[in-house]
Amino acid sequence: GTPPKVGDICLAKPQDAHPTQAAYGEVDAGCVQLGLEAYAKMKDGSLREYLQSKAVPTIMGPNGVLYITDHHHLSVALLHAFLPYSIPMIHRLLFMCIGNDFSSETDTTFWKRLEDESLVWLYDNRGKAITSAAIPHSVKYLQDDPYRTLALWARQAYAYIKCGG
């Protein structure tokens, strides 16, 4: 087929999502997973509707590789969710919204551009600075960072407000 272009919605297996960070909050992803499984049990299309409403912001990188810039928790949750096989495959796929096409960049200029545009998180699960080479090639290899879950819960309790995003 033809390669996707900016504005397209692509369907992809969660394990094929290339992350732009090395860590995520496992507890938070577990909560999202429970929600996905509850939608699946309804058997009324609500899982698909939910996944469509949470289209994953995606960038086309070098060689047409798709990199997600948000919804890493959702991607991991969908990967780990116990979904009945009677549910069509489309309910097991991420809806990825192509926001930028950086496919003409080299690997070096691609990661530099992501860094310049604050689209990559270059810290590991202990807060130590890393290079883009340390970011796994799939969300299934993300490391647990319990402080990410703690930060999310604090934000949800209005302990602070996330500005600019």
Side-chain angles (χ1 to χ4, degrees):
T2 59
K5 58 187 179 304
V6 173
D8 284 352
I9 301 287
C10 303
L11 295 174
K13 295 176 185 173
Q15 62 268 28
D16 294 337
H18 292 261
T20 53
Q21 61 190 46
Y24 76 112
E26 188 173 321
V27 173
D28 182 48
C31 293
V32 174
Q33 178 182 335
L34 291 174
L36 295 176
E37 291 167 356
Y39 281 130
K41 285 181 184 174
M42 291 182 199
K43 298 181 181 180
D44 63 358
S46 56
L47 175 60
R48 181 177 184 195
E49 287 176 23
Y50 177 78
L51 292 171
Q52 280 182 296
S53 74
K54 298 290 185 184
V56 179
T58 304
I59 293 173
M60 273 197 320
N63 302 312
V65 173
L66 299 178
Y67 291 85
I68 63 172
T69 59
D70 201 359
H71 298 317
H72 291 78
H73 291 91
L74 173 64
S75 302
V76 173
L78 184 59
L79 178 66
H80 293 157
F82 296 102
L83 302 177
Y85 284 100
S86 60
I87 293 178
M89 186 62 180
I90 197 164
H91 295 295
R92 300 169 183 277
L93 299 175
L94 290 173
F95 288 77
M96 302 172 83
C97 180
I98 309 298
N100 293 296
D101 181 356
F102 300 161
S103 60
S104 63
E105 304 276 354
T106 65
D107 280 340
T108 302
T109 59
F110 171 73
W111 288 106
K112 175 72 172 121
R113 188 167 184 182
L114 291 187
E115 193 172 353
D116 291 346
E117 296 186 25
S118 300
L119 295 172
V120 63
W121 184 252
L122 294 174
Y123 297 93
D124 68 10
N125 62 331
R126 296 175 188 212
K128 180 182 169 199
I130 60 171
T131 66
S132 60
I135 295 176
H137 296 291
S138 170
V139 296
K140 72 180 179 180
Y141 300 116
L142 291 175
Q143 300 173 344
D144 178 34
D145 178 351
Y147 292 104
R148 290 185 67 91
T149 296
L150 179 62
L152 176 69
W153 288 350
R155 188 172 80 229
Q156 288 174 338
Y158 299 103
Y160 71 96
I161 298 171
K162 182 178 177 181
C163 297

